[in-house]
């Protein structure tokens, strides 16, 4: 994997070229768009959420004789250490003028959000676990569509 960049709405964003990750994101976004399109409100907008959850693999020792008898003395636990909650609104403009207005507003909104993310990521680093592997992606992750609120209160909560 090598870092590269992507131009979106007059903003250059960093990306990592990873076909597996791209496929996962395209799949989840497609699912969200289909879901929101089917429940669109009369005003032309629907809301949904994608969560990106990052995990740390922790080595766990089996307790008691259970691990010894079954031959599974050690195993890995995946502990969630960060959740990015992406609140998404799907808008459907009714006129060409409305479409142009929405597109003009999206660029500055994306720029403001990207700069906020950079500020927060550079400020809040103490909770990030150490990298203990030489794998390309040291932290397992998952992307969930409209997840349950099981991690509510454990996130930084800056973009709600």
């Amino acid at each position: 994997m090598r870092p590269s960049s992507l131009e979106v709405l007059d903003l250059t964003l960093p990306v990592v070229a990873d076909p597996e990750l791209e496929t996962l994101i395209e799949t989840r976004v497609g699912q969200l768009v289909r879901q929101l399109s089917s429940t669109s409100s009369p005003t032309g907008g629907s809301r949904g959420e994608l969560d990106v959850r990052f995990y740390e693999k922790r080595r766990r020792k089996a307790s008691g004789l259970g691990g010894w008898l079954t031959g599974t003395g050690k195993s890995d636990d995946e502990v969630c250490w960060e959740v990015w909650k992406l609140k998404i609104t799907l808008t459907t403009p009714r006129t060409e003028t409305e479409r142009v207005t929405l597109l003009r507003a999206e660029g500055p909104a994306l720029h403001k959000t990207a700069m906020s993310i950079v500020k927060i990521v550079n400020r809040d680093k103490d909770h990030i676990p150490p990298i203990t592997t030489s794998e390309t992606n040291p932290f397992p992750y998952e992307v969930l569509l409209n997840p349950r609120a099981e991690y509510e209160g454990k996130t930084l909560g800056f973009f709600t």
Side-chain angles (χ1 to χ4, degrees):
M1 270 194 274
R2 286 197 313 224
S4 60
S5 61
L6 175 68
E7 294 288 326
V8 178
L9 298 171
D10 295 328
L11 182 65
T12 303
L13 298 172
V15 296
V16 176
D18 178 359
E20 185 178 319
L21 179 59
E22 288 176 23
T23 300
L24 175 63
I25 291 171
E26 287 174 11
T27 300
R28 293 295 185 265
V29 169
Q31 290 170 338
L32 182 63
V33 168
R34 281 189 298 281
Q35 184 183 59
L36 295 180
S37 295
S38 68
T39 61
S40 187
S41 71
T43 59
S46 296
R47 296 178 187 266
E49 182 178 304
L50 288 175
D51 277 12
V52 181
R53 296 180 180 178
F54 296 93
Y55 296 89
E56 172 188 12
K57 285 186 180 179
R58 291 188 185 164
R59 200 70 158 157
R60 169 178 58 141
K61 293 181 184 178
S63 60
L65 295 176
W68 180 75
L69 292 174
T70 62
T72 57
K74 293 183 179 179
S75 63
D76 287 339
D77 276 337
E78 286 191 352
V79 179
C80 184
W81 58 271
E82 185 159 294
V83 179
W84 295 355
K85 293 184 163 299
L86 307 172
K87 308 262 184 184
I88 298 169
T89 302
L90 178 67
T91 56
T92 309
R94 291 179 293 249
T95 66
E96 182 62 20
T97 304
E98 205 173 278
R99 187 185 73 74
V100 170
T101 302
L102 285 170
L103 279 174
R104 281 191 192 136
E106 285 176 354
L110 178 61
H111 185 268
K112 181 180 177 184
T113 300
M115 292 302 106
S116 294
I117 290 169
V118 167
K119 183 179 176 183
I120 291 166
V121 167
N122 284 329
R123 183 187 70 209
D124 298 323
K125 299 181 200 177
D126 295 342
H127 67 288
I128 300 173
I131 295 174
T132 59
T133 179
S134 60
E135 294 177 28
T136 304
N137 183 4
F139 301 115
Y141 60 87
E142 65 180 337
V143 179
L144 301 174
L145 173 64
N146 292 320
R148 296 181 321 234
E150 65 186 87
Y151 288 98
E152 215 55 50
K154 295 183 182 178
T155 64
L156 297 176
F158 293 105
F159 300 106
T160 55

